[in-house]
Amino acid sequence: MASIPEDVPDPAFDGYSLGAVLGTGLAGAVRAAGHTSGFDVAIEVIGAPLTDDEGFRQRLGEATDEAAVLEHPSIVSVYKTLWDGDTAGVVTELVDCASAARLLRESPLSLAATCLVADSVLLALVIAHRAGVIHGRVCADAVLLDGDRVRLAGFAVGRAMHADAVAEPVTDTHGVARLVEELAGEAAAPRALRRVLTRGTAQRIDHRYRTASSMRTALATAARRELGDGWRAVAASELASLPSRGAAAEGAAVPVPSPVEPAGAAPVSAAPAEQPEPSSGPATETAAVQQEKRQVSPAVPAMPVIRAAPSGFLFRRVARRPGARTMRTATLLLVAAAIVGALGGMLASAIRGGAPAAAGALSVARPVSVQLQPVHGTCNSVFAATATGHVRGAGTLVYRWERSDGLQTEDTTLNVARNDATFLITEHWQLDGAVAHPSITFRLVSPVAMAVTRALGYSCP
């Protein structure tokens, strides 16, 4: 691995002003920064000898484009790469709290806290891998802790630093196993957990966990067996009690808007197909574990992704007009029928000609998926709802979000310029106080009328 630059002169990135050093990233100092538009961000400043390597420069640009599609509460968002001569700057979400590496300088984490950190990191990797994105450098420096909230940083930079690394999920699952060993210190791991780590660090790649999802299930099973059913609550309490860090520390998340417009398409590499995994725990899983696996593994297809920016809690209250709504739905259904007919003709033509159909009128394939994070929240929780689906052709997607409290967003447009792509649209909702049976709905208005409603797991005394 190339050495990390130790001292890089302050660069002049167009449109950005650099502030205080927040800490050390995977390849350079992480600086607070401001954009001329008023957005606050963080920039990891990377210089020679890394940037002297043309291969690194190319990998960094490609990896940044791939990572920019990721939007999830467990992931520190990546926005873009800047250049000032030979100095690079990777623009990310602003962070201001401690990294796991900094906390380890004081003392190792408990076994329960270590398992919870690893569980959260694996969740972030599940999301990334399903979008075709490999981290490449999972370690304590990339794990950010803000109380009991754990987030994974270093996407794009980690992948770019390793020219010879295997660009597959096994690279990251191996990193998580090493992370657990690093966080737990010299404490001997119990037998069930040791089996997970032994497999995760196996010398032969084909013996390791092929997916983050399978490793996460095995780790959670081992933690329950060794620490009891309440291990997550115990671990969360321990993490929340860790001393807080300010701007001079290395750390986790203060979400801010993106300094760049993320509504354009970004390429995503194809993710390896998941293979059946040998069982690491009991022969059968509880219904709760199976439900958790379904909820925390959103299926983000490995296709070109069109990512829409969240509206940022901007909802409006509307008066319902069932009559007008019924007429609009009927009209949209007629339009959808025409689109489906046209699409069928294009597909038939493509099959006869043996080549993909050319881009035509925009259509949306069923089903559209809506995933929620977290799986269950308490008072003041912020839920992230992410809608994904396949689109074909070119045109304008019109959608909105609706909440069970009677609020909804304005109708929002998303331009689609690709023949085959996946849209990824995220919205947030913060719940405070007692809310009875909350739910959120993603509604497609055009080119087809479609709605998906998901109930939020929420409790507040």
Side-chain angles (χ1 to χ4, degrees), residues 107 126 161 174 241 246 250 255 261 264 274 277 308 366 368 417 419 459:
S107 63
V126 168
M161 290 179 68
H174 178 267
S241 67
E250 305 168 9
E261 180 58 51
E274 293 190 9
E277 293 286 340
R366 295 175 184 269
V368 170
N419 186 28
S459 61

Side-chain angles (χ1 to χ4, degrees), residues 65-66 69 128 130-133 266-271 301-305:
D65 287 342
E66 293 178 356
V69 307
R130 290 187 181 277
V133 179
V268 176
S269 59
M303 299 176 64
V305 173

Side-chain angles (χ1 to χ4, degrees), residues 350-399:
I351 293 172
R352 287 193 298 269
L362 182 66
S363 64
V364 180
R366 295 175 184 269
V368 170
S369 173
V370 174
Q371 301 290 336
L372 299 174
Q373 291 296 331
V375 175
H376 185 274
T378 55
C379 302
N380 299 313
S381 290
V382 176
F383 287 87
T386 301
T388 58
H390 298 282
V391 290
R392 184 174 178 83
T396 301
L397 196 72
V398 182
Y399 67 91

Side-chain angles (χ1 to χ4, degrees), residues 109-125:
L109 299 181
S110 70
L111 187 60
T114 296
C115 288
L116 186 60
V117 169
D119 179 82
S120 298
V121 169
L122 285 166
L123 171 58
L125 292 174

Side-chain angles (χ1 to χ4, degrees), residues 70-72 74-75 122-133 212 296-298 300 373:
L70 299 176
E71 170 112 14
H72 191 270
S74 296
I75 295 173
L122 285 166
L123 171 58
L125 292 174
V126 168
I127 305 302
H129 293 170
R130 290 187 181 277
V133 179
V296 301
S297 304
V300 181
Q373 291 296 331

Side-chain angles (χ1 to χ4, degrees), residues 310-318 320 382-385 399-412 426-431 439-443 456:
S311 65
F313 303 98
L314 299 180
F315 284 83
R316 62 187 177 95
R317 190 173 295 277
V318 297
R320 305 291 187 184
V382 176
F383 287 87
Y399 67 91
R400 66 173 176 265
W401 292 93
E402 301 171 353
R403 303 189 333 200
S404 54
D405 61 0
L407 298 184
Q408 67 180 45
T409 63
E410 300 285 349
D411 285 0
T412 306
T426 299
E427 189 52 70
H428 297 89
W429 181 9
Q430 182 170 13
L431 275 68
S439 65
I440 191 166
T441 298
F442 175 75
R443 185 174 300 279
L456 279 66

Side-chain angles (χ1 to χ4, degrees), residues 180-229:
V180 171
E181 294 178 336
E182 185 179 5
L183 295 180
E186 299 299 325
R191 179 181 299 179
L193 183 59
R194 174 51 56 188
R195 284 199 296 266
V196 176
L197 299 182
T198 298
R199 181 176 175 187
T201 57
Q203 185 172 5
R204 288 185 54 177
I205 291 179
D206 58 345
H207 287 176
R208 300 174 188 169
Y209 291 99
R210 298 186 183 183
T211 66
S213 179
S214 60
M215 184 175 184
R216 186 171 184 236
T217 300
L219 182 69
T221 300
R224 283 195 301 272
R225 180 176 298 174
E226 301 292 349
L227 303 173
D229 292 337

